[in-house]
Amino acid sequence: MNNLISPVSYVLPEGKTRVKLYCLSDLHADAKGCLDWLKSNCVRKDDVSVHTVFICAGDVSSEIKVLHDVFMHLKQHYNDVCFTPGEKIEK
């Protein structure tokens, strides 16, 4: 049995006419200036009829407060936020 979801079967939320994906990897938000860059550049400017999905991949932060700030900012500006962790190794 195939349990994969076909892209054709995706149902848009009510009032949305299309989906727009954004992706960013290895933000390293605890490095100087990176969190400010995110807050200045990752701001939704689309028509409200567009369902936005932000994919945040890789290393974001090793500090839970910074990670929280990143996700709160993204969720304020995009309908859905997806995250996949990176492989950052602490020394």
Side-chain angles (χ1 to χ4, degrees):
M1 173 183 262
N2 186 349
N3 291 328
L4 296 176
I5 298 173
S6 167
V8 176
S9 69
Y10 183 79
V11 177
L12 288 169
E14 187 174 333
K16 305 294 183 175
T17 58
R18 59 193 174 110
V19 174
K20 194 171 201 180
L21 298 175
Y22 297 85
C23 186
L24 178 67
S25 69
D26 296 311
L27 175 62
H28 297 281
D30 27 18
K32 184 177 180 180
C34 291
L35 186 57
D36 291 335
W37 181 92
L38 174 88
K39 290 181 177 181
S40 296
N41 292 284
C42 297
V43 179
R44 178 182 173 174
K45 297 175 183 170
D46 294 315
D47 184 325
V48 294
S49 67
V50 177
H51 185 80
T52 56
V53 179
F54 194 101
I55 301 168
C56 188
D59 299 328
V60 174
S61 176
S62 56
E63 298 293 324
I64 195 72
K65 183 191 179 319
V66 175
L67 192 62
H68 178 266
D69 290 347
V70 167
F71 292 143
M72 290 302 294
H73 173 79
L74 293 174
K75 191 58 187 152
Q76 288 173 352
H77 293 281
Y78 301 92
N79 297 116
D80 292 319
V81 176
C82 303
F83 171 65
T84 180
E87 79 293 336
K88 185 174 183 177
I89 300 170
E90 293 295 323
K91 293 181 179 183

